[in-house]
Amino acid sequence: MLDITWIRQDPQALDRALADRGAAPAAQRLIDLDDERRAHIRQLQEAQNARNQASKQIGKAKASGDEAAAQNLIDEVAKLKSAIQEGEAQERSLEEALRTALAEIPNVPLPDVPVGPDEAANVELRLFGDPMLSDSAPEHFEIGEALGLMDFESAAKLSGSRFVVLKGQLARLERALGQFMLDLHTTEHGYTEVAPPILVRDDALFGTAQLPKFAEDSYATAAVDDDEASAARLWLIPTAEVPLTNLVRETILDEAELPLRFTALTPCFRSEAGSAGRDTRGMLRQHQFNKVELVSITSQQASLEEHERMTACAETVLKKLGLPYRVVVLSTGDMGFAARRTYDIEVWLPGQGAYREISSCSVCGDFQARRMNARYRAEGEKQPRFVHTLNGSGVAVGRALIAVMENYRNDDGSITVPDVLRRYMGGMERIGA
């Protein structure tokens, strides 16, 4: 969430950033809300001062024997007390209105982010590997169904569209991919493995900026106990970024504790609102999928360097799997709501003859920290600062499975198991051989 003080100091900067993102100007509306809030606070303070002065005069009036004056003052204090109570309720309402308006404003892109309306303005940074080019390469669902190990029909009977049932060796390969990624990030990259809840409260989704603006993208449920009045809505996580980042909500860390680096392998749930007609076949865009997430909590000065590091960690997964990929920096119109800069890692899929996203690594600055009230105390400073947060996929397990299937498919329809996964597969070298 953006700081209203910064917006007041440079409203044009916010409106330029919003224009780059394809959004309407908002600075003046936010300033007007803040002006209304400030004016009301001044009126409330004046009423409180008047009440205090009148209260002091009551004693003096009684001491002088002027009961009529004392009673008038008592009546005045009672009226002021009632007005102050109403004013305090209105102050809370104005505070909430400003907070809600600020919560719906996206983060401000870094100066080096390419300006553009959509993915066409993304800029390629680097390539790895040699893409396999073939006009006849089958897609993953064709490979999986031919092997009898990928069942969309049964999944549709169970849950509807955008679900899949994996069986046998293919199910084991997906599990192997997740274990390989976790082991890599914890043993070589210094991340701490976490097994977080996958049901979270509203505050957690607000902290990472999925709420309130993107409620339709997530699945809500309700936790009901013996007291119906205390039932609380819970959300299935769209990514482990939510619980991992919120581990530091409402805390003040010491700078010496930073950076904190967390990783988790969890199921993720997304409604895929607005994606009708896109990737309807196969398991590229599912309502439920597994992903290894990376989250970093850093000091203000370390976050940009951490962004490069996190992206390199995600790239290592694909390098060790021997999968061709490219890294692009997303344009202002294509990157996520909470990000200041995002690098997408796109893996080559021979069946589509295209690079497709398998990881997004984003630096968010203090945007999420302000929503979570997550701070740290720098050495030698009394006033705590907001931490900086980063998140990235390390990587999407289902899409890694797709990439392995398509890039390691053999002419006989079998799939060669990449070397780094064989120890997780009991030494198996081929699937469907």
Side-chain angles (χ1 to χ4, degrees), residues 3-14:
D3 180 9
I4 187 62
T5 302
W6 172 78
I7 294 171
R8 295 186 71 95
Q9 290 171 346
D10 194 352
Q12 291 79 17
L14 173 62

Side-chain angles (χ1 to χ4, degrees), residues 205 209-220 233 235 271 273:
L205 279 172
Q210 280 82 13
L211 288 181
K213 195 171 180 65
F214 302 103
E216 67 175 5
D217 292 328
S218 297
Y219 288 106
R233 176 175 63 178
W235 299 81
S271 70

Side-chain angles (χ1 to χ4, degrees), residues 395-406:
V395 295
V397 177
R399 292 198 172 191
L401 176 67
I402 291 170
V404 167
M405 291 173 67
E406 293 192 10

Side-chain angles (χ1 to χ4, degrees), residues 22-240:
Q28 191 57 55
R29 174 171 59 89
L30 295 168
I31 291 172
D32 289 346
L33 284 171
D34 191 40
D35 284 343
E36 183 180 2
R37 180 186 67 88
R38 291 177 181 224
H40 181 75
I41 290 173
R42 285 194 297 269
Q43 293 174 358
L44 193 58
Q45 290 172 339
E46 290 170 0
Q48 290 168 337
N49 290 334
R51 181 192 61 182
N52 293 339
Q53 291 300 318
S55 296
K56 293 178 182 178
Q57 294 301 317
I58 292 172
K60 293 180 181 180
K62 286 187 174 182
S64 66
D66 191 344
E67 291 298 327
Q71 187 58 51
N72 287 336
L73 287 166
I74 290 171
D75 292 343
E76 182 183 352
V77 167
K79 290 179 181 178
L80 286 168
K81 181 179 179 181
S82 177
I84 288 169
Q85 288 176 339
E86 293 178 3
E88 288 174 340
Q90 187 177 353
E91 180 188 359
R92 290 191 292 271
S93 178
L94 290 170
E95 292 275 5
E96 182 59 27
L98 178 60
R99 176 177 168 83
T100 299
L102 286 169
E104 294 177 346
I105 304 298
N107 206 348
V108 176
L110 289 171
D112 62 354
V113 173
V115 176
D118 51 35
E119 63 183 12
N122 296 347
V123 175
E124 182 178 286
L125 299 179
R126 53 188 173 271
L127 288 164
F128 173 84
D130 297 316
M132 180 175 65
L133 302 175
S134 172
D135 293 333
S136 59
E139 293 195 52
H140 67 282
F141 51 86
E142 297 171 306
I143 300 169
E145 288 176 332
L147 291 171
L149 302 177
M150 186 174 280
D151 188 348
F152 295 97
E153 183 177 344
S154 294
K157 291 177 182 178
L158 294 170
S159 307
S161 61
R162 297 193 187 275
F163 291 91
V164 67
V165 173
L166 300 177
K167 300 177 181 178
Q169 297 169 335
L170 212 53
R172 185 172 184 177
L173 182 61
E174 186 192 42
R175 175 161 53 91
L177 281 161
Q179 291 299 116
F180 156 67
M181 294 175 202
L182 276 182
D183 287 349
L184 174 65
H185 295 313
T186 54
T187 61
E188 295 190 23
H189 298 153
Y191 287 85
T192 298
E193 182 177 354
V194 177
I198 60 173
L199 285 167
V200 296
R201 295 177 173 175
D202 288 22
D203 286 348
L205 279 172
F206 179 85
T208 46
Q210 280 82 13
L211 288 181
K213 195 171 180 65
F214 302 103
E216 67 175 5
D217 292 328
S218 297
Y219 288 106
T221 183
V224 181
D225 57 21
D226 293 336
D227 180 4
E228 291 288 336
S230 66
R233 176 175 63 178
L234 294 174
W235 299 81
L236 288 164
I237 60 170
T239 164

Side-chain angles (χ1 to χ4, degrees), residues 279-389:
D279 301 314
T280 54
R281 294 208 61 187
M283 54 181 292
L284 260 172
R285 195 177 297 274
Q286 299 254 284
H287 291 311
Q288 175 187 330
F289 56 94
N290 294 322
K291 182 156 70 77
V292 172
E293 186 71 7
L294 305 174
V295 162
S296 295
I297 313 295
T298 75
S299 63
Q300 294 178 6
Q301 64 271 21
S303 62
L304 296 185
E305 182 179 349
E306 184 72 12
H307 192 206
E308 305 298 330
R309 181 189 188 277
M310 175 181 284
T311 306
C313 291
E315 287 182 69
T316 302
V317 173
L318 302 186
K319 287 178 179 178
K320 287 184 176 289
L321 288 171
L323 296 172
Y325 69 87
R326 69 174 184 172
V327 179
V328 300
V329 57
L330 300 191
S331 71
T332 53
D334 195 34
M335 68 183 189
F337 182 84
R340 297 207 70 191
R341 182 177 65 207
T342 297
Y343 295 141
D344 264 13
I345 304 173
E346 299 177 346
V347 70
W348 177 255
L349 299 183
Q352 291 195 2
Y355 288 101
R356 297 298 302 269
E357 178 211 332
I358 196 169
S359 172
S360 285
C361 296
S362 298
V363 56
C364 300
D366 63 6
F367 187 81
Q368 294 176 324
R370 290 180 180 277
R371 301 168 79 102
M372 298 185 300
N373 195 26
R375 296 172 290 168
Y376 73 100
R377 187 168 281 109
E379 186 176 354
E381 295 184 7
K382 292 184 179 180
Q383 188 68 26
R385 305 179 181 184
F386 287 105
V387 300
H388 279 202
T389 62

